[in-house]
Amino acid sequence: VAPVGNAWQLNYLNPRAIRLHAKDNSHPVFSGSYLAGLVLYATIDPSAKWNITFRGNLSEAEALYLQGLARQSLQPSP
């Protein structure tokens, strides 16, 4: 199971969270799809390299933040 929900939760726990949902609060915006894709990619390939250059319409800082959330969501729980 890919922990996409965990990654989204980590984002929304941050006071400076990036919006991941569309205005209907049901569908993702690009940042939400990007984060989900990162988690899926790394779940399928645990040796995935994190030097991802594609970021669509995200700033470099936003893309790096979301990549960090994806990595963090894949860490084993204590």
Side-chain angles (χ1 to χ4, degrees):
V1 175
V4 173
N6 293 351
W8 280 49
Q9 181 180 26
L10 288 170
N11 174 64
Y12 284 126
L13 290 173
N14 183 338
R16 297 181 303 182
I18 293 175
R19 179 111 175 128
L20 303 176
H21 290 91
K23 291 182 182 184
D24 66 5
N25 288 321
S26 179
H27 295 90
V29 293
F30 181 81
S31 57
S33 296
Y34 184 80
L35 179 55
L38 291 170
V39 174
L40 289 169
Y41 168 63
T43 299
I44 292 167
D45 182 4
S47 66
K49 305 293 184 237
W50 288 96
N51 57 346
I52 300 165
T53 57
F54 175 78
R55 61 178 202 244
N57 64 350
L58 299 171
S59 70
E60 183 176 1
E62 290 170 324
L64 290 173
Y65 167 72
L66 293 172
Q67 290 173 24
L69 291 178
R71 278 193 299 274
Q72 189 177 350
S73 75
L74 294 164
Q75 300 301 315
S77 300

